[in-house]
Amino acid sequence: MSTKRIGAQTVALQTPPSIIGHACVVGKKEGEGPLKDSFDYIGEDSYFGEKSWEKAESAMQKMAFSMACDKASVSPSAIGYLFAGDLLNQCIASAFSMRDAGVPFFGLYGACSTMAESLSLAALSIDGGFADISAAVTSSHFCSAERQFRFPLEYGGQRTPTAQWTATAAGSIILGSIGSGPYVTHVTTGKIVDAGITDANNMGAAMAPAAYDTLSCHFTDTGRNPDFYDLIVTGDLGDVGRSIVLDFFRDDGLDISANYDDCGLMMFSREEQDVHAGGSGCGCSAGVLCGHILNGIKEGLYKNVLFAATGALMSSTSSGQGESIPGICHAVAISKEVQG
Amino acid sequence: MSTKRIGAQTVALQTPPSIIGHACVVGKKEGEGPLKDSFDYIGEDSYFGEKSWEKAESAMQKMAFSMACDKASVSPSAIGYLFAGDLLNQCIASAFSMRDAGVPFFGLYGACSTMAESLSLAALSIDGGFADISAAVTSSHFCSAERQFRFPLEYGGQRTPTAQWTATAAGSIILGSIGSGPYVTHVTTGKIVDAGITDANNMGAAMAPAAYDTLSCHFTDTGRNPDFYDLIVTGDLGDVGRSIVLDFFRDDGLDISANYDDCGLMMFSREEQDVHAGGSGCGCSAGVLCGHILNGIKEGLYKNVLFAATGALMSSTSSGQGESIPGICHAVAISKEVQG
C-alpha cells in the first residue's frame, strides 16, 4: 500500500536522496546576466563547437552531465537511471547527448518543467529502492527553439512585450541514496491545467494557473506554510506569470511576494538584456537551480527551497489548430538538512 | 540502499503490481487485421469525430484511457500517477487527451517504446509505495505521423520495402497495488544503442541492436532462459528488425524463433494489408499488448510474457543533419501468477 503519499499530489520521501553533484552550462548572453558567477561553464558563442544549434544543445547537455558526474565523483556506469528531456521535436537534444552514456534511460517530455520532472523521478527511483544513484538532465537553446517554435532567426521577427526569451542553458543533477545534502524531501507532481489562454506569446499567463495549482496543493499536502521556505521559485513564468501567481495567492489571503521569485526573472537582467517578460526554456530553470540555488543552499544563503518548474504543453501544430495552451508545474522541496 | 535491483538494468518488483484494467482503441485498417477480435473499439474512419488527425489521436487516447478506467472500476481521481507520451512534436496527443483528467501527470518521450516505458514507470511508482493506482497511456496515428515525419499524405510518396506502417491505435493500462493479475514482475530499462543506421526508412534495423541489448540483459539479470516465456515480443521491429534480433541471438548460440514475435508483425497481415515490413508506432505495440496479449494471458493462452517495446529516438531534423538513428528498448515481464 502507498505509505509515502501525504496528500493528493505529494510524496514525502522516507530516505531523502542527496544531491551529490550538480552542474550547469550556459551560453554567452546568460553568462552576462546577474547569475554569471554561478555557472560552471559559459560558452563563447551559441555553437559549442558544433555545426548546428541542435548539436550545440546536445553538446551543452553532455557537458553539464559530465561535469555533474565529475563533481559527484561518480562514473556514468554507476548511475542506475537517467531521466532526460528537452523542447526539441522528439527530444533529440537528450537522445543524442546521452546516446553514448551507457545508462538506463527514461526519456521525458515536460516542456519547461523538465528539470523538476526529471529530478522528481530521479528522487522517486532512489527512495523506491530501485537505484543507488540516479541522474536528471535537461537543456534548451535559444536558436534551436526559435526556429522550431517561432520563426527562423534570419526573419528578424518582432517580439511582443509578454514574450519570453528561451535560455541557452543545460543543467544536470546527480542524486545519491547516501550523501551530505542538500536533500530532496518532497515531490509534488502537477496535473495539467488549461486556463484557455491561446496566445503563444504569453506563456507566463498560460502556465501561471498550473503553478498556483501545484504550489497550493504542496502547501495543503505538506501542512507547510509558504514562509517555511526561504525561496519559492517557479520557472519560468516571467514577469506576467509571476504577477498572476501572486494575485491568486492574494485571493487566498496569502502574500508570498517576500520569498517568491521566478527563474525567468533571475536568469537575465530585464533592464539590460532585452528579454521582454523574462527568460524561459527547460534550461532556464535548470541553469538557475543547478547554479545559483544549489550553490546558495550549500553556502548557507538558503535552507529550504521549493523549486516549481512550469511547462506549456503545446506545439506550433496545436496552436495552429486553434487550441489553448495546457500548463503543468512540478514542485520539488529541497532542504540543506533533513529533520530527523 | 537499492535492494530491488537484480542486475545492471533490471528491477524485480517486491510486490508486483496487478494489471487491473486495459483497453485499446484502433483505426479501421487495424480493425481489419488478424487481431481484430481483441480490440475494445474500432473506429469507422481516421477522424474519431474530430477535425484534425492530431485531435483524432487525442480522442483515441482519451477513449482508451476511459475504457481502461471503466474496466478497472477506477475513477481517474483515484489514480496516483499517469505516465503518457506519443510521437507528435511536443507530445501533444498525450497533453491534450489528458488535460481534463485531473491526474498527476508525467509526460514521456520514448518514441515507439512508450508503452513499455510508461508501464515500467507506473509499476515502479506503485512498488515504490508512491501510489496505489497508476496508469500508462500512449498512441500513434498513421496520418499525423506521416505528415510530421515523412510527407503529406496528398503527396502520395512511394514507400521502400523496409518501411513500416504507423498504426492508428491507442492503448492504456491501469495498475493497482492490489489485484488478481496479470502482474508486472520485472522491469528492464534500456540504454540508448546507436548502431550507426541512417536510413529513416529502415527503423527495424536501427532499433534491433537496442532490442537485443535489453533482451539479453534481461536474461542475464533475471537468470531466466528465453524459454521461461511463452511469448517474447518486441514492438515494433517488423520483419527486417526481427530477423536481425534472431541473428544476434543465434550468434550467442540461442534459437528464440519458437517463442519470439514482434508486435509490428502481429498487428497487420503483411500478405493482405500492404504494410511492407510491418506495423510501427507507439500505438502498435500498445494495441497488441492491451488487446491480444493481455486478453491472452487472462484466457490462458500465455502464462509469462516479456514485452519489449522499441523506439527510434530520431527526428526529421536529426536525419536532415546526417545523424544516425539511436534506438532504445524497454522490457517488462508480465505473468499470470506470481510465484510465492
Side-chain angles (χ1 to χ4, degrees):
Chain A
M1 293 295 288
S2 166
T3 50
K4 298 168 183 172
R5 198 99 175 189
I6 58 158
Q9 294 171 233
T10 304
V11 155
L13 300 176
Q14 289 194 323
T15 312
S18 174
I19 294 171
I20 58 174
H22 57 94
C24 52
V25 170
V26 302
K28 188 162 180 276
K29 184 184 180 89
E30 291 69 21
E32 292 166 352
L35 303 184
K36 59 187 169 196
D37 294 332
S38 71
F39 303 124
D40 294 276
Y41 183 83
I42 299 169
E44 287 295 311
D45 59 21
S46 298
Y47 284 98
F48 289 83
E50 298 292 334
K51 286 184 181 167
S52 75
W53 292 320
E54 290 75 18
K55 291 185 185 190
E57 188 174 340
S58 284
M60 212 168 47
Q61 204 181 102
K62 204 168 175 170
M63 200 186 291
F65 175 64
S66 293
M67 286 177 166
C69 287
D70 193 49
K71 288 163 86 174
S73 301
V74 153
S75 143
S77 63
I79 297 175
Y81 294 110
L82 177 59
F83 297 89
D86 58 89
L87 289 175
L88 297 182
N89 296 345
Q90 289 72 57
C91 301
I92 54 169
S94 310
F96 284 90
S97 69
M98 295 301 138
R99 68 174 152 176
D100 301 319
V103 181
F105 178 89
F106 283 119
L108 308 180
Y109 185 75
C112 304
S113 75
T114 306
M115 190 71 244
E117 184 185 5
S118 57
L119 185 57
S120 295
L121 286 167
L124 296 182
S125 75
I126 292 177
D127 195 58
F130 308 122
D132 289 323
I133 300 172
S134 284
V137 192
T138 190
S139 64
S140 58
H141 191 298
F142 176 75
C143 306
S144 61
E146 281 296 304
R147 77 165 161 191
Q148 179 183 279
F149 286 108
R150 297 180 188 95
F151 297 105
L153 289 180
E154 297 80 354
Y155 185 84
Q158 280 286 333
R159 301 164 66 80
T160 67
T162 56
Q164 293 174 241
W165 185 278
T166 305
T168 298
S172 179
I173 289 177
I174 315 290
L175 285 180
S177 57
I178 297 172
S180 55
Y183 302 94
V184 174
T185 63
H186 296 78
V187 168
T188 302
T189 304
K191 299 180 291 192
I192 301 175
V193 177
D194 189 333
I197 306 286
T198 53
D199 180 1
N201 286 310
N202 195 353
M203 294 291 189
M207 297 186 288
Y212 166 73
D213 194 71
T214 298
L215 289 175
S216 54
C217 185
H218 177 84
F219 300 134
T220 305
D221 286 353
T222 59
R224 289 177 172 179
N225 285 320
D227 61 10
F228 175 85
Y229 294 102
D230 313 296
L231 178 66
I232 297 164
V233 62
T234 50
D236 308 286
L237 300 179
D239 189 50
V240 178
R242 178 174 180 270
S243 301
I244 296 172
V245 169
L246 284 173
D247 282 347
F248 277 132
F249 276 106
R250 275 196 200 103
D251 287 347
D252 292 343
L254 284 170
D255 179 1
I256 63 166
S257 60
N259 56 341
Y260 167 48
D261 210 336
D262 181 79
C263 295
L265 296 171
M266 297 166 78
M267 176 64 93
F268 298 108
S269 163
R270 291 174 66 217
E271 290 71 28
E272 292 167 22
Q273 294 191 289
D274 190 29
V275 294
H276 295 230
S280 69
C282 308
C284 185
S285 56
V288 174
L289 176 68
C290 297
H292 171 75
I293 295 175
L294 291 178
N295 291 344
I297 293 176
K298 287 188 172 172
E299 290 158 7
L301 181 63
Y302 308 118
K303 227 171 127 181
N304 301 300
V305 173
L306 186 58
F307 174 71
T310 50
L313 302 174
M314 46 70 73
S315 75
S316 47
T317 302
S318 66
S319 290
Q321 293 182 4
E323 284 284 12
S324 54
I325 301 171
I328 196 158
C329 173
H330 300 299
V332 179
I334 303 171
S335 287
K336 189 178 172 67
E337 287 164 16
V338 178
Q339 292 148 342
Chain B
M1 295 292 289
S2 166
T3 49
K4 297 169 183 171
R5 197 98 174 188
I6 58 159
Q9 295 171 230
T10 304
V11 154
L13 301 175
Q14 289 193 324
T15 313
S18 174
I19 294 172
I20 59 174
H22 58 93
C24 52
V25 170
V26 303
K28 188 162 181 276
K29 184 185 180 87
E30 291 69 20
E32 292 166 352
L35 303 184
K36 59 187 170 194
D37 295 332
S38 70
F39 302 124
D40 295 278
Y41 184 83
I42 299 169
E44 286 295 310
D45 59 21
S46 297
Y47 283 99
F48 289 84
E50 299 291 334
K51 286 185 182 167
S52 75
W53 292 320
E54 290 75 17
K55 293 186 185 190
E57 188 174 340
S58 284
M60 211 168 47
Q61 205 180 102
K62 204 168 174 169
M63 199 187 291
F65 175 66
S66 293
M67 285 178 167
C69 287
D70 192 50
K71 288 162 85 175
S73 300
V74 154
S75 143
S77 64
I79 297 175
Y81 294 111
L82 176 59
F83 297 89
D86 58 88
L87 289 174
L88 297 182
N89 295 346
Q90 289 72 55
C91 301
I92 52 168
S94 310
F96 285 90
S97 69
M98 295 301 137
R99 69 174 152 176
D100 301 319
V103 181
F105 178 88
F106 283 119
L108 308 180
Y109 185 75
C112 304
S113 75
T114 306
M115 190 71 244
E117 184 185 4
S118 57
L119 185 58
S120 294
L121 286 166
L124 296 182
S125 74
I126 292 178
D127 195 58
F130 308 122
D132 289 324
I133 299 173
S134 284
V137 192
T138 190
S139 64
S140 58
H141 192 297
F142 176 75
C143 306
S144 62
E146 281 296 305
R147 76 165 161 194
Q148 179 183 277
F149 286 107
R150 297 181 187 94
F151 298 105
L153 289 181
E154 297 81 352
Y155 185 84
Q158 280 286 333
R159 302 163 65 80
T160 66
T162 56
Q164 293 174 240
W165 185 278
T166 306
T168 299
S172 178
I173 289 177
I174 314 291
L175 285 181
S177 57
I178 296 172
S180 56
Y183 302 94
V184 174
T185 62
H186 296 78
V187 168
T188 301
T189 304
K191 300 181 292 193
I192 301 175
V193 177
D194 190 333
I197 306 287
T198 53
D199 181 1
N201 286 309
N202 195 352
M203 295 291 191
M207 298 187 288
Y212 166 74
D213 194 71
T214 298
L215 289 175
S216 53
C217 185
H218 176 83
F219 299 134
T220 304
D221 286 353
T222 58
R224 288 177 172 179
N225 284 320
D227 60 10
F228 175 84
Y229 295 102
D230 312 297
L231 176 66
I232 297 164
V233 62
T234 50
D236 308 286
L237 300 178
D239 189 50
V240 178
R242 178 174 180 270
S243 300
I244 296 172
V245 169
L246 283 172
D247 282 348
F248 277 132
F249 277 106
R250 275 197 200 102
D251 287 347
D252 292 344
L254 284 169
D255 179 2
I256 63 166
S257 60
N259 56 341
Y260 167 47
D261 210 336
D262 181 80
C263 294
L265 296 171
M266 296 165 79
M267 176 63 94
F268 298 108
S269 163
R270 291 174 67 218
E271 289 72 29
E272 292 167 22
Q273 293 190 289
D274 191 28
V275 294
H276 294 230
S280 69
C282 307
C284 185
S285 56
V288 174
L289 177 66
C290 298
H292 170 74
I293 295 175
L294 292 178
N295 291 344
I297 293 176
K298 289 189 172 172
E299 291 159 6
L301 181 63
Y302 306 119
K303 225 170 128 182
N304 301 299
V305 173
L306 185 59
F307 174 72
T310 50
L313 301 174
M314 45 71 73
S315 76
S316 47
T317 302
S318 67
S319 290
Q321 293 182 4
E323 285 284 13
S324 54
I325 301 171
I328 197 158
C329 173
H330 300 299
V332 179
I334 303 170
S335 287
K336 189 177 172 68
E337 287 164 16
V338 179
Q339 291 146 341

Short mmCIF file of all heavy atoms in Angstrom, two decimals, chain B residues 5-12 185-186 188 214-229 254 306 333 339:
data_model
loop_
_atom_site.label_atom_id
_atom_site.label_comp_id
_atom_site.label_asym_id
_atom_site.label_seq_id
_atom_site.Cartn_x
_atom_site.Cartn_y
_atom_site.Cartn_z
N ARG B 5 17.09 -3.95 -7.15
CA ARG B 5 17.85 -4.06 -8.39
C ARG B 5 18.52 -5.43 -8.44
O ARG B 5 19.23 -5.80 -7.51
CB ARG B 5 18.92 -2.96 -8.39
CG ARG B 5 19.50 -2.67 -9.73
CD ARG B 5 18.82 -1.46 -10.33
NE ARG B 5 19.46 -1.07 -11.57
CZ ARG B 5 19.15 0.04 -12.22
NH1 ARG B 5 18.25 0.87 -11.74
NH2 ARG B 5 19.74 0.32 -13.35
N ILE B 6 18.29 -6.18 -9.49
CA ILE B 6 18.88 -7.51 -9.55
C ILE B 6 19.81 -7.64 -10.75
O ILE B 6 19.86 -8.66 -11.41
CB ILE B 6 17.80 -8.61 -9.61
CG1 ILE B 6 16.90 -8.39 -10.83
CG2 ILE B 6 16.99 -8.65 -8.35
CD1 ILE B 6 16.17 -9.64 -11.26
N GLY B 7 20.55 -6.61 -11.04
CA GLY B 7 21.45 -6.64 -12.19
C GLY B 7 21.57 -5.25 -12.73
O GLY B 7 20.99 -4.30 -12.21
N ALA B 8 22.32 -5.13 -13.82
CA ALA B 8 22.66 -3.80 -14.33
C ALA B 8 21.44 -2.96 -14.69
O ALA B 8 21.42 -1.76 -14.45
CB ALA B 8 23.54 -3.96 -15.57
N GLN B 9 20.39 -3.58 -15.24
CA GLN B 9 19.29 -2.79 -15.76
C GLN B 9 17.91 -3.26 -15.29
O GLN B 9 16.90 -2.73 -15.74
CB GLN B 9 19.35 -2.80 -17.30
CG GLN B 9 20.58 -2.11 -17.87
CD GLN B 9 20.77 -2.30 -19.36
OE1 GLN B 9 21.84 -2.68 -19.81
NE2 GLN B 9 19.73 -2.04 -20.13
N THR B 10 17.89 -4.24 -14.41
CA THR B 10 16.60 -4.85 -14.06
C THR B 10 16.23 -4.67 -12.59
O THR B 10 17.08 -4.76 -11.72
CB THR B 10 16.61 -6.36 -14.40
OG1 THR B 10 16.94 -6.52 -15.77
CG2 THR B 10 15.27 -7.01 -14.12
N VAL B 11 14.95 -4.42 -12.38
CA VAL B 11 14.38 -4.38 -11.04
C VAL B 11 13.37 -5.52 -10.94
O VAL B 11 12.56 -5.73 -11.84
CB VAL B 11 13.67 -3.02 -10.81
CG1 VAL B 11 12.58 -3.13 -9.77
CG2 VAL B 11 14.70 -1.96 -10.40
N ALA B 12 13.47 -6.30 -9.83
CA ALA B 12 12.45 -7.30 -9.53
C ALA B 12 11.49 -6.68 -8.53
O ALA B 12 11.90 -6.32 -7.43
CB ALA B 12 13.09 -8.56 -8.96
N THR B 185 6.12 -8.17 -13.08
CA THR B 185 7.09 -8.71 -12.11
C THR B 185 8.48 -8.11 -12.24
O THR B 185 9.19 -8.00 -11.25
CB THR B 185 7.21 -10.25 -12.26
OG1 THR B 185 7.70 -10.54 -13.58
CG2 THR B 185 5.86 -10.93 -12.04
N HIS B 186 8.90 -7.77 -13.46
CA HIS B 186 10.25 -7.25 -13.68
C HIS B 186 10.23 -6.10 -14.68
O HIS B 186 9.45 -6.12 -15.63
CB HIS B 186 11.19 -8.33 -14.24
CG HIS B 186 11.43 -9.47 -13.31
ND1 HIS B 186 10.51 -10.47 -13.12
CD2 HIS B 186 12.49 -9.75 -12.50
CE1 HIS B 186 10.99 -11.33 -12.24
NE2 HIS B 186 12.19 -10.93 -11.84
N THR B 188 13.02 -4.08 -17.02
CA THR B 188 14.39 -3.92 -17.52
C THR B 188 14.44 -2.68 -18.39
O THR B 188 13.78 -2.60 -19.43
CB THR B 188 14.83 -5.16 -18.33
OG1 THR B 188 14.74 -6.32 -17.51
CG2 THR B 188 16.28 -5.00 -18.80
N THR B 214 18.71 -5.07 -24.66
CA THR B 214 17.83 -5.11 -23.49
C THR B 214 17.36 -6.54 -23.19
O THR B 214 17.33 -6.95 -22.03
CB THR B 214 16.61 -4.18 -23.72
OG1 THR B 214 17.10 -2.84 -23.87
CG2 THR B 214 15.63 -4.23 -22.56
N LEU B 215 17.01 -7.29 -24.23
CA LEU B 215 16.56 -8.67 -24.00
C LEU B 215 17.67 -9.51 -23.38
O LEU B 215 17.45 -10.23 -22.40
CB LEU B 215 16.10 -9.30 -25.32
CG LEU B 215 14.78 -8.79 -25.92
CD1 LEU B 215 14.52 -9.42 -27.28
CD2 LEU B 215 13.61 -9.07 -24.97
N SER B 216 18.87 -9.41 -23.94
CA SER B 216 19.95 -10.26 -23.40
C SER B 216 20.30 -9.81 -21.98
O SER B 216 20.60 -10.65 -21.12
CB SER B 216 21.16 -10.29 -24.33
OG SER B 216 21.58 -8.99 -24.63
N CYS B 217 20.23 -8.50 -21.72
CA CYS B 217 20.46 -8.02 -20.36
C CYS B 217 19.39 -8.56 -19.41
O CYS B 217 19.69 -8.96 -18.28
CB CYS B 217 20.47 -6.49 -20.35
SG CYS B 217 20.88 -5.81 -18.77
N HIS B 218 18.16 -8.59 -19.88
CA HIS B 218 17.07 -9.13 -19.05
C HIS B 218 17.33 -10.60 -18.67
O HIS B 218 17.15 -10.99 -17.51
CB HIS B 218 15.73 -9.00 -19.79
CG HIS B 218 14.58 -9.60 -19.05
ND1 HIS B 218 13.89 -8.93 -18.06
CD2 HIS B 218 14.01 -10.84 -19.11
CE1 HIS B 218 12.96 -9.71 -17.56
NE2 HIS B 218 13.01 -10.88 -18.19
N PHE B 219 17.76 -11.38 -19.64
CA PHE B 219 18.02 -12.80 -19.35
C PHE B 219 19.18 -12.94 -18.36
O PHE B 219 19.13 -13.76 -17.44
CB PHE B 219 18.30 -13.57 -20.65
CG PHE B 219 17.15 -13.53 -21.63
CD1 PHE B 219 17.36 -13.27 -22.98
CD2 PHE B 219 15.85 -13.75 -21.19
CE1 PHE B 219 16.30 -13.22 -23.88
CE2 PHE B 219 14.77 -13.70 -22.08
CZ PHE B 219 15.01 -13.44 -23.43
N THR B 220 20.22 -12.15 -18.55
CA THR B 220 21.37 -12.19 -17.63
C THR B 220 20.96 -11.75 -16.23
O THR B 220 21.26 -12.42 -15.24
CB THR B 220 22.49 -11.26 -18.14
OG1 THR B 220 22.83 -11.63 -19.48
CG2 THR B 220 23.73 -11.34 -17.26
N ASP B 221 20.27 -10.61 -16.16
CA ASP B 221 19.89 -10.04 -14.85
C ASP B 221 18.97 -10.97 -14.06
O ASP B 221 19.11 -11.11 -12.85
CB ASP B 221 19.20 -8.68 -15.03
CG ASP B 221 20.15 -7.56 -15.42
OD1 ASP B 221 21.38 -7.80 -15.43
OD2 ASP B 221 19.68 -6.44 -15.71
N THR B 222 18.01 -11.56 -14.76
CA THR B 222 17.00 -12.37 -14.06
C THR B 222 17.41 -13.83 -13.91
O THR B 222 16.83 -14.55 -13.09
CB THR B 222 15.65 -12.37 -14.81
OG1 THR B 222 15.88 -12.88 -16.14
CG2 THR B 222 15.07 -10.97 -14.90
N GLY B 223 18.39 -14.27 -14.70
CA GLY B 223 18.75 -15.68 -14.69
C GLY B 223 17.73 -16.55 -15.40
O GLY B 223 17.79 -17.78 -15.36
N ARG B 224 16.76 -15.91 -16.05
CA ARG B 224 15.75 -16.68 -16.79
C ARG B 224 16.26 -17.02 -18.18
O ARG B 224 16.91 -16.20 -18.83
CB ARG B 224 14.46 -15.85 -16.93
CG ARG B 224 13.70 -15.69 -15.64
CD ARG B 224 12.47 -14.81 -15.82
NE ARG B 224 11.65 -14.82 -14.62
CZ ARG B 224 10.52 -14.11 -14.49
NH1 ARG B 224 10.09 -13.35 -15.48
NH2 ARG B 224 9.82 -14.18 -13.37
N ASN B 225 15.93 -18.20 -18.65
CA ASN B 225 16.20 -18.54 -20.04
C ASN B 225 15.08 -17.99 -20.90
O ASN B 225 13.95 -17.83 -20.42
CB ASN B 225 16.27 -20.06 -20.21
CG ASN B 225 17.57 -20.62 -19.68
OD1 ASN B 225 18.63 -20.03 -19.85
ND2 ASN B 225 17.47 -21.74 -18.97
N PRO B 226 15.37 -17.74 -22.18
CA PRO B 226 14.29 -17.27 -23.06
C PRO B 226 13.07 -18.19 -23.02
O PRO B 226 11.94 -17.72 -23.15
CB PRO B 226 14.95 -17.26 -24.45
CG PRO B 226 16.40 -17.04 -24.17
CD PRO B 226 16.68 -17.74 -22.87
N ASP B 227 13.27 -19.50 -22.82
CA ASP B 227 12.12 -20.40 -22.86
C ASP B 227 11.26 -20.35 -21.60
O ASP B 227 10.26 -21.05 -21.50
CB ASP B 227 12.53 -21.83 -23.21
CG ASP B 227 13.50 -22.41 -22.20
OD1 ASP B 227 13.70 -21.78 -21.14
OD2 ASP B 227 14.07 -23.48 -22.46
N PHE B 228 11.66 -19.49 -20.63
CA PHE B 228 10.77 -19.25 -19.50
C PHE B 228 9.46 -18.61 -19.99
O PHE B 228 8.40 -18.82 -19.42
CB PHE B 228 11.44 -18.32 -18.48
CG PHE B 228 10.54 -17.92 -17.34
CD1 PHE B 228 10.39 -18.73 -16.23
CD2 PHE B 228 9.82 -16.73 -17.39
CE1 PHE B 228 9.55 -18.37 -15.18
CE2 PHE B 228 8.96 -16.35 -16.36
CZ PHE B 228 8.84 -17.18 -15.25
N TYR B 229 9.60 -17.84 -21.07
CA TYR B 229 8.43 -17.09 -21.57
C TYR B 229 7.70 -17.86 -22.68
O TYR B 229 8.33 -18.44 -23.55
CB TYR B 229 8.89 -15.73 -22.11
CG TYR B 229 9.44 -14.84 -21.01
CD1 TYR B 229 10.83 -14.67 -20.85
CD2 TYR B 229 8.59 -14.21 -20.12
CE1 TYR B 229 11.33 -13.87 -19.82
CE2 TYR B 229 9.09 -13.42 -19.08
CZ TYR B 229 10.45 -13.25 -18.94
OH TYR B 229 10.94 -12.47 -17.92
N LEU B 254 21.73 -19.18 -29.22
CA LEU B 254 20.33 -19.31 -28.78
C LEU B 254 19.39 -19.18 -29.97
O LEU B 254 19.47 -18.23 -30.74
CB LEU B 254 19.99 -18.21 -27.78
CG LEU B 254 20.51 -18.34 -26.35
CD1 LEU B 254 20.29 -17.03 -25.59
CD2 LEU B 254 19.81 -19.49 -25.62
N LEU B 306 7.25 -11.57 -22.07
CA LEU B 306 8.22 -10.49 -21.97
C LEU B 306 7.91 -9.50 -23.08
O LEU B 306 8.08 -9.79 -24.26
CB LEU B 306 9.65 -11.04 -22.10
CG LEU B 306 10.77 -10.00 -21.89
CD1 LEU B 306 10.69 -9.36 -20.51
CD2 LEU B 306 12.14 -10.66 -22.08
N ALA B 333 8.33 -7.66 -17.78
CA ALA B 333 7.90 -9.06 -17.66
C ALA B 333 6.54 -9.10 -16.99
O ALA B 333 6.32 -8.49 -15.93
CB ALA B 333 8.92 -9.86 -16.86
N GLN B 339 4.93 -16.07 -8.43
CA GLN B 339 5.47 -17.18 -7.65
C GLN B 339 5.60 -16.75 -6.20
O GLN B 339 6.11 -15.67 -5.91
CB GLN B 339 6.84 -17.59 -8.20
CG GLN B 339 6.74 -18.23 -9.57
CD GLN B 339 7.95 -17.91 -10.44
OE1 GLN B 339 8.67 -16.96 -10.17
NE2 GLN B 339 8.14 -18.69 -11.48
#
